[in-house]
Amino acid sequence: MRIALKTFGCKVNQAESDLFAAAVLSGGMTCVGFQECADIYVINSCSVTKEAERKANRCIRRIMRDNPDAIVLLTGCYARRLEKSGERPFGEKVIHLVSPQKIAEILNQVEEITGETLSLSTTPYSLRSRVWLKVADGCEHFCSYCIVPHLRGPVKSISPQDVLQTAKDLEERGYREIVLCGINLAWYGKERENVNLLRLLEMLVEETRYARFRLSSLEPFAVNHSFFTRCLALGERICPHFHLPMQSGSDAILQKMKRGYSVGEFLDLVKGIRSEHPLVAITSDVMVGFPGESDEHFEQTAMCMQKADFSRTHLFRYSSRPGTDAAILEREEGVPEDRKRERERQLRIIADESAQRYRKKFIGKSVPVLVENIEGIFGFGHSDTYLPVRFLCPLHIKEGEIVQVFVESDDKDFLFGETANYKEKCMH
């Protein structure tokens, strides 16, 4: 039985897909690329924007055209949104899976189709050097533009014992970088007693041996300066890279978004983190064209981005989501698409300049790089601060290792350098 899996959206989705892949492979089935012919296609979908839904639809249409006898399973947030709205864009030809126990539901459906028995794996399978480990699901904040809390439900944290065991298993398999992810990661442990994200990190560092841990997105309303002080104090096995979604640099827009912080509070948080670690990477998400965003609000966001000086910025245009408070505002105060695109273009210039300034800080320094790909004499990977690095690579180095790379130049898309002992190893 050949099964193809396609994942859209967040790191939580990817972590869930990796668990499904582990169960399929342990059950003796074959995972194939999504462009290949399969008996069952599983689409782990996203509903955070209209474009994410369109991508899933394009995939489904292509399968139905090229392989009309295949079975298509649609899971994830888009499937849940369709179920809530009663929509069936592909009729009965696509099976919607909407249970909160996503992986178990997919496995049950596959078992029903194939007659094979599959066991739920607690350890994800990944061909990448970096692996994502889901530690929590759900969110209860309800930002006015976000549909995810309506689809994922309240915070549900995986027990620290289970997280720790999975991390140990991944380390035993040779993974040197584990990314902890959750829909609202900073609220890990919110519904449990005597555990939070910081305590989980302490346990992971204490009870594993060498893997480094990276945190996915952290909401600014859920963390404070003390969290980062204690986090960075855990040492080099915690990557000095924090993703803080700013979303807007206008207090008026942040309030309409129901983000739960002010521009001043956000900038103070950034300043405090950098006081602990001057070379820390702070990345962010910034939205343009939220309903009611005036030219003045946009200029405030541009100014705030310059002050925050992010090492990397994900820019995106507001996308109305049905059932959210912002969808109502969009009908009354929507920003034209051409204006959104122009604002995005202007912010891209600021973002690129900030990213370049950050990269140049590492020229002449040695950085730890996770080796993700090797082609000929060149290796490629990401530093602990999540900078892409290309480097001259000795033959003895393997993918999945962490090596020290001396950075010699900035090549715009990546830093370039060589491993500390490259010349010495090549001479032998």
Side-chain angles (χ1 to χ4, degrees):
M1 183 63 64
R2 294 161 62 86
I3 298 178
L5 174 62
K6 182 72 172 179
T7 306
F8 295 103
C10 64
K11 290 182 174 65
V12 172
N13 264 11
Q14 186 60 62
E16 291 168 340
S17 291
D18 289 349
L19 286 172
F20 171 68
V24 167
L25 292 171
S26 66
M29 298 183 188
T30 304
C31 274
V32 299
F34 211 76
Q35 302 299 321
E36 298 181 50
C37 185
D39 303 295
I40 301 173
Y41 292 87
V42 179
I43 300 172
N44 194 358
S45 65
C46 173
S47 194
V48 75
T49 64
K50 293 176 185 175
E51 180 56 28
E53 295 183 351
R54 280 195 286 265
K55 288 179 179 178
N57 287 341
R58 285 196 291 268
C59 263
I60 294 170
R61 282 194 292 269
R62 185 185 62 77
I63 295 166
M64 294 171 68
R65 182 192 68 228
D66 297 343
N67 194 357
D69 294 329
I71 296 170
V72 181
L73 307 181
L74 179 66
T75 186
C77 286
Y78 181 34
R80 293 176 190 166
R81 190 190 73 72
L82 291 175
E83 196 70 18
K84 288 187 71 162
S85 66
E87 298 174 60
R88 283 275 177 175
F90 298 97
E92 300 304 315
K93 295 181 179 179
V94 175
I95 300 172
H96 292 191
L97 304 179
V98 298
S99 168
Q101 285 72 48
K102 180 192 289 187
I103 306 304
E105 185 182 30
I106 301 172
L107 294 179
N108 288 339
Q109 188 67 46
V110 172
E111 287 180 352
E112 188 176 314
I113 295 167
T114 64
E116 302 288 340
T117 300
L118 298 175
S119 299
L120 182 61
S121 174
T122 58
T123 305
Y125 170 82
S126 175
L127 293 174
R128 301 175 301 275
S129 299
R130 175 183 301 102
V131 64
W132 291 307
L133 173 55
K134 175 185 172 182
V135 302
D137 204 338
C139 180
E140 301 159 35
H141 190 73
F142 289 93
C143 295
S144 66
Y145 55 84
C146 186
I147 197 172
V148 174
H150 301 270
L151 303 175
R152 288 266 187 176
V155 173
K156 298 173 286 292
S157 307
I158 295 171
S159 76
Q161 293 77 20
D162 287 345
V163 173
L164 184 59
Q165 186 58 56
T166 302
K168 287 180 176 178
D169 291 344
L170 290 170
E171 193 176 62
E172 285 299 315
R173 293 186 184 187
Y175 289 103
R176 297 296 303 274
E177 181 175 313
I178 300 171
V179 184
L180 303 185
C181 56
I183 298 300
N184 192 336
L185 178 63
W187 273 355
Y188 173 83
K190 184 176 184 289
E191 83 289 17
R192 292 179 174 269
E193 292 184 2
N194 304 318
V195 67
N196 55 27
L197 181 58
L198 188 62
R199 179 59 192 136
L200 179 66
L201 288 172
E202 290 170 346
M203 293 171 62
L204 287 167
V205 171
E206 288 167 5
E207 300 191 41
T208 57
R209 293 178 296 159
Y210 53 76
R212 72 185 188 189
F213 296 93
R214 189 182 303 278
L215 300 177
S216 62
S217 185
L218 298 168
E219 294 293 351
F221 56 75
V223 288
N224 55 30
H225 186 186
S226 174
F227 170 85
F228 294 103
T229 300
R230 295 175 63 187
C231 185
L232 289 167
L234 292 174
E236 63 184 17
R237 289 183 58 205
I238 302 298
C239 292
H241 165 220
F242 303 112
H243 187 80
L244 300 174
M246 181 180 82
Q247 304 299 10
S248 175
S250 161
D251 280 331
I253 296 298
L254 286 174
Q255 189 170 10
K256 292 175 76 171
M257 288 178 168
K258 299 184 179 179
R259 287 294 289 164
Y261 54 86
S262 67
V263 171
E265 288 168 339
F266 181 86
L267 291 175
D268 284 346
L269 184 62
V270 170
K271 182 179 179 181
I273 299 169
R274 288 192 174 126
S275 71
E276 301 289 340
H277 192 305
L279 289 178
V280 67
I282 299 179
T283 55
S284 195
D285 299 329
V286 177
M287 182 191 302
V288 296
F290 186 83
E293 183 186 66
S294 66
D295 289 343
E296 182 181 0
H297 297 145
F298 170 71
E299 291 300 330
Q300 290 168 350
T301 295
M303 186 178 300
C304 190
M305 278 184 60
Q306 290 171 329
K307 290 179 180 177
D309 208 23
F310 300 122
S311 62
R312 185 171 177 268
T313 308
H314 173 226
L315 296 168
F316 61 104
R317 301 188 293 275
Y318 168 76
S319 177
S320 180
R321 301 283 71 210
T324 62
D325 292 346
I328 299 171
L329 296 175
E330 173 74 358
R331 292 194 290 269
E332 302 167 354
E333 308 175 74
V335 177
E337 279 299 316
D338 59 344
R339 195 172 303 166
K340 290 181 188 178
R341 284 192 291 270
E342 175 57 22
R343 289 176 178 176
E344 183 182 29
R345 185 193 67 79
Q346 291 181 42
L347 293 189
R348 173 53 54 202
I349 295 171
I350 296 172
D352 289 347
E353 290 174 347
S354 292
Q356 184 182 49
R357 279 194 296 273
Y358 183 72
R359 291 194 304 270
K360 288 188 180 299
K361 293 178 181 180
F362 291 87
I363 296 176
K365 292 182 170 62
S366 181
V367 298
V369 175
L370 176 70
V371 184
E372 298 169 53
N373 185 41
I374 297 175
E375 293 185 2
I377 63 170
F378 294 105
F380 178 83
H382 283 80
S383 70
D384 55 347
T385 55
Y386 208 62
L387 289 173
V389 183
R390 193 166 186 250
F391 55 94
L392 292 167
C393 181
L395 293 176
H396 73 284
I397 289 177
K398 306 298 182 186
E399 291 180 9
E401 296 181 18
I402 292 178
V403 298
Q404 290 295 132
V405 175
F406 181 79
V407 177
E408 298 173 337
S409 63
D410 170 27
D411 209 359
K412 187 179 179 183
D413 294 327
F414 50 82
L415 295 175
F416 184 80
E418 61 183 43
T419 56
N421 55 357
Y422 173 75
K423 293 185 176 67
E424 177 185 335
K425 289 290 182 181
C426 287
M427 290 173 65
H428 293 82

